[in-house]
Amino acid sequence: KLPLESIQVVLEELRKNGNLEWLDKNKTSFLIMWRRPEEWGRLIYQWVSKNGLTNSVFTLYELTSGDDTENEEFHGLDETMLLRALQALQQEHKAEIITLDDGRGVKFF
């Protein structure tokens, strides 16, 4: 039951911290993210490194639904957020999103 001005302040702080993204120009619809894509990317890359899986290729399904990631925080992550996390890793030259015959995948470096 916050006043509209207070709600706008909270939303703006979330946006500044990278945890909110406006989905329309009128700022009536938004996406709130528990973790920023860069944070998800860091968790995924830590798992890859810890398990000696650099220079390996994974499908997006394997990362979020495979048996090997069952105990990881990113297991079950929404595909849209997964792609954003992988794009962040791609910008850091730690991964490359690739197109496979049956969908998308990623190669880690």
Side-chain angles (χ1 to χ4, degrees), residues 46-97:
Q46 285 173 354
W47 174 79
V48 167
S49 297
K50 178 179 69 177
N51 290 290
L53 298 170
T54 53
N55 295 317
S56 298
V57 175
F58 292 90
T59 64
L60 301 187
Y61 178 84
E62 287 175 307
L63 285 176
T64 59
S65 302
D67 293 339
D68 294 338
T69 63
E70 204 167 50
N71 295 320
E72 302 301 321
E73 291 183 62
F74 57 87
H75 188 84
L77 188 63
D78 175 74
E79 187 174 319
T80 302
M81 186 56 68
L82 175 62
L83 282 170
R84 289 177 184 199
L86 295 175
Q87 287 167 346
L89 287 174
Q90 190 168 269
Q91 288 177 347
E92 297 176 20
H93 306 288
K94 293 181 177 180
E96 181 181 352
I97 299 169

Side-chain angles (χ1 to χ4, degrees), residues 16-27:
K16 284 180 186 176
N17 291 330
N19 296 96
L20 180 140
E21 182 179 302
W22 291 108
L23 299 175
D24 63 347
K25 292 181 182 181
N26 295 328
K27 296 183 179 182

